[in-house]
């Protein structure tokens, strides 16, 4: 009986070991037969499109130091995106594996000149592209240069971009993820102008594309993600700075966590910082004699991170912070109205809450929006804070 049991165990272990060995060989063979694409860059060229593919260098460990680069860059042009990608494929001995791509990076020049609708449409209909791929735009640099940048900590720049973007969305609030399906939804419905997070470089120093960039304790060139780029129709119209981007993301209810810094008052030269942990923005359309107006209500809860104010009473800080937030929101609303560009999604609220009114308002929205009345109310609650300067 024991002999039969040990025989069964032996064959089970042998079968399991053989399966692991075969699976490992199959996996290694598969990896060696494909080019794992991490990011896709789109720029303009004389032919039409220039496509940059960032391919993972499987001979290198992306999270470790070493002489091997973490990725390899392939770049080709074509009259269409697909032709440019085929030109890359023709120069590569391995099949391009696009399902692994995590990022579409669109150069600012092509976003301004040609727009992003055709680019977004291509990636939505390309069956080999994952639906969860993120989409961004560049500022002051082509996508190819951003992807070529040698970055610290992470050897593959696209992965570094995703790490920075995640941290920004989770803790800072100046940039949020966008996906092709969401962008196309904005473009086709035409009830809100779209916006994308943008990435740039801290310097135009060519050292960014060499190993020297990460040879020192303080890299000469860093990837910077610190705001949102807004569009009109499908063309890049401008960039929001750090504070404007926070307001935009709060306006569109995409803030998870952020902070604000403002002065203590005219008679107090100090400053204080509040961490906003929860927030909700409501935009209420109102009608008087058939003419629309809008009431924006921003409610938030937070805590004081730091204060050098002489009068650090909660009610006083709440009042100052509310006035600051109201001013910031009014400034961004005024900016969008001056440019006659509803990237804040004011018209969208009419569409969602009163579709019948929407049909009439939408006909003349471009004439109405620059002067439509929009009022803002802010309600900020600061959680009770302690004082280390007082003895309990």
């Amino acid at each position: 009986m024991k002999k039969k049991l040990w025989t069964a165990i032996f064959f089970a272990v042998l079968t399991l070991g053989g399966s692991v060995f075969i699976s490992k060989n199959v996996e290694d063979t598969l990896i060696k037969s494909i080019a794992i694409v991490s990011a896709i860059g789109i720029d303009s060229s004389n032919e039409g499109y220039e496509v940059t593919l960032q391919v993972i260098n499987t001979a290198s460990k992306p999270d470790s130091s070493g002489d091997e680069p973490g990725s390899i860059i392939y770049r080709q042009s074509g009259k269409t995106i697909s032709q440019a990608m085929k030109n890359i494929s023709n120069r590569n001995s391995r099949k391009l594996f696009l399902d692994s791509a995590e990022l579409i990076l669109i150069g600012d020049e092509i976003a301004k000149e040609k727009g992003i609708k055709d680019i977004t449409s291509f990636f939505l209909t390309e069956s080999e592209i994952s639906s969860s791929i993120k989409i961004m735009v560049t500022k002051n640099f082509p996508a190819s240069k951003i992807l070529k940048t040698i970055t610290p900590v992470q050897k593959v720049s696209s992965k570094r971009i995703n790490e920075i973007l995640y941290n920004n969305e989770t803790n800072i609030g100046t940039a949020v993820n966008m996906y092709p399906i969401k962008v196309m939804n904005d473009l086709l419905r035409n009830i809100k102008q779209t916006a994308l997070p943008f990435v740039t470089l801290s310097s135009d120093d060519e050292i960014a594309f060499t190993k020297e960039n990460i040879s020192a304790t303080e890299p000469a060139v860093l990837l910077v993600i610190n705001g949102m780029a807004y569009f009109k129709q499908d063309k890049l119209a401008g960039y929001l700075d750090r504070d404007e981007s926070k307001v935009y993301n709060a306006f569109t209810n995409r803030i998870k966590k952020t902070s604000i810094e403002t002065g203590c008052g005219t008679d107090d030269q100090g400053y204080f910082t509040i961490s906003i942990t929860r927030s909700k923005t409501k935009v209420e359309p109102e009608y008087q004699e058939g003419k629309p107006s809008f009431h924006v209500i921003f409610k938030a809860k937070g805590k004081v991170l730091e204060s050098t104010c002489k009068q650090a009473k909660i009610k006083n800080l709440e009042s100052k912070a509310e006035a600051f937030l109201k001013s910031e929101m009014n400034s961004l609303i005024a900016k969008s109205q001056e440019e006659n560009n509803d990237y804040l999604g004011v018209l969208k609220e009419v569409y969602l809450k009163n579709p019948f009114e929407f049909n009439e308002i939408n006909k003349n929205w471009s004439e109405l929006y620059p002067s439509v009345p929009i009022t803002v109310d802010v309600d900020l609650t600061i959680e009770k804070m302690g004082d280390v300067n007082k003895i309990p």
Side-chain angles (χ1 to χ4, degrees), residues 293-311:
S293 62
F294 297 87
H295 185 201
V296 179
I297 306 164
F298 178 69
K299 293 186 177 182
K301 290 188 176 182
K303 57 186 178 181
V304 177
L305 292 181
E306 182 181 2
S307 174
T308 58
C309 298
K310 295 174 184 176
Q311 297 292 328

Side-chain angles (χ1 to χ4, degrees), residues 128-141:
E128 294 185 27
I129 299 290
S130 170
S131 60
S132 62
I133 194 169
K134 300 176 185 67
I135 184 168
M136 298 178 70
V137 69
T138 69
K139 181 180 180 181
N140 299 331
F141 295 91

Side-chain angles (χ1 to χ4, degrees), residues 114-235:
K114 291 185 178 180
I116 61 171
K117 186 176 181 180
D118 291 341
I119 297 171
T120 307
S121 177
F122 169 80
F123 287 111
L124 278 174
T125 56
E126 173 53 63
S127 60
E128 294 185 27
I129 299 290
S130 170
S131 60
S132 62
I133 194 169
K134 300 176 185 67
I135 184 168
M136 298 178 70
V137 69
T138 69
K139 181 180 180 181
N140 299 331
F141 295 91
S144 59
K145 284 198 171 185
I146 300 288
L147 294 179
K148 282 198 305 180
T149 303
I150 307 295
T151 60
V153 183
Q154 177 60 261
K155 293 174 75 175
V156 181
S157 62
S158 63
K159 292 186 177 295
R160 182 63 175 162
I161 289 170
N162 278 324
E163 289 174 352
I164 298 171
L165 183 58
Y166 174 79
N167 178 61
N168 199 310
E169 181 176 25
T170 307
N171 299 303
I172 304 171
T174 57
V176 295
N177 284 322
M178 284 292 286
Y179 303 92
I181 187 67
K182 177 71 172 70
V183 174
M184 187 56 74
N185 192 34
D186 286 342
L187 295 176
L188 292 180
R189 284 190 174 185
N190 199 28
I191 55 174
K192 176 191 175 297
Q193 303 299 329
T194 198
L196 297 178
F198 69 84
V199 58
T200 187
L201 298 176
S202 60
S203 167
D204 60 359
D205 195 328
E206 292 293 320
I207 198 175
F209 317 121
T210 69
K211 288 184 181 179
E212 290 181 39
N213 192 43
I214 56 172
S215 62
T217 55
E218 185 178 358
V221 183
L222 292 170
L223 292 166
V224 179
I225 301 173
N226 209 19
M228 303 292 289
Y230 60 94
F231 290 71
K232 190 162 188 179
Q233 301 304 323
D234 74 327
K235 293 185 177 180

Side-chain angles (χ1 to χ4, degrees), residues 136-380:
M136 298 178 70
V137 69
T138 69
K139 181 180 180 181
N140 299 331
F141 295 91
S144 59
K145 284 198 171 185
I146 300 288
L147 294 179
K148 282 198 305 180
T149 303
I150 307 295
T151 60
V153 183
Q154 177 60 261
K155 293 174 75 175
V156 181
S157 62
S158 63
K159 292 186 177 295
R160 182 63 175 162
I161 289 170
N162 278 324
E163 289 174 352
I164 298 171
L165 183 58
Y166 174 79
N167 178 61
N168 199 310
E169 181 176 25
T170 307
N171 299 303
I172 304 171
T174 57
V176 295
N177 284 322
M178 284 292 286
Y179 303 92
I181 187 67
K182 177 71 172 70
V183 174
M184 187 56 74
N185 192 34
D186 286 342
L187 295 176
L188 292 180
R189 284 190 174 185
N190 199 28
I191 55 174
K192 176 191 175 297
Q193 303 299 329
T194 198
L196 297 178
F198 69 84
V199 58
T200 187
L201 298 176
S202 60
S203 167
D204 60 359
D205 195 328
E206 292 293 320
I207 198 175
F209 317 121
T210 69
K211 288 184 181 179
E212 290 181 39
N213 192 43
I214 56 172
S215 62
T217 55
E218 185 178 358
V221 183
L222 292 170
L223 292 166
V224 179
I225 301 173
N226 209 19
M228 303 292 289
Y230 60 94
F231 290 71
K232 190 162 188 179
Q233 301 304 323
D234 74 327
K235 293 185 177 180
L236 179 61
Y239 299 91
L240 302 179
D241 64 25
R242 179 176 176 271
D243 291 332
E244 289 173 337
S245 295
K246 286 182 182 181
V247 173
Y248 169 83
N249 290 324
F251 210 101
T252 54
N253 287 308
R254 296 291 305 276
I255 285 280
K256 293 182 180 179
K257 185 179 178 183
T258 190
S259 63
I260 60 168
E261 301 81 28
T262 188
C264 303
T266 53
D267 299 327
D268 192 335
Q269 300 301 311
Y271 287 86
F272 65 97
T273 300
I274 293 178
S275 171
I276 295 177
T277 53
R278 283 179 288 172
S279 67
K280 178 72 175 178
T281 303
K282 289 176 65 178
V283 181
E284 297 291 346
E286 299 171 351
Y287 308 95
Q288 190 171 10
E289 297 179 359
K291 294 182 179 180
S293 62
F294 297 87
H295 185 201
V296 179
I297 306 164
F298 178 69
K299 293 186 177 182
K301 290 188 176 182
K303 57 186 178 181
V304 177
L305 292 181
E306 182 181 2
S307 174
T308 58
C309 298
K310 295 174 184 176
Q311 297 292 328
K313 294 180 180 179
I314 288 180
K315 287 296 180 184
N316 183 55
L317 297 182
E318 281 178 346
S319 176
K320 296 296 182 185
E322 285 173 348
F324 172 77
L325 287 167
K326 184 173 181 178
S327 174
E328 291 291 297
M329 295 190 88
N330 279 325
S331 293
L332 188 58
I333 291 168
K335 177 178 178 176
S336 71
Q337 287 186 304
E338 285 171 10
E339 297 181 15
N340 198 8
N341 189 348
D342 183 18
Y343 47 80
L344 295 174
V346 176
L347 180 63
K348 182 180 179 180
E349 297 302 322
V350 180
Y351 174 81
L352 293 173
K353 294 170 182 173
N354 198 330
F356 298 104
E357 290 284 354
F358 169 79
N359 290 329
E360 288 301 316
I361 293 172
N362 189 38
K363 294 175 183 177
N364 304 304
W365 187 240
S366 59
E367 289 79 29
L368 289 171
Y369 185 62
S371 58
V372 69
I374 303 175
T375 57
V376 176
D377 282 322
V378 176
D379 181 8
L380 174 66

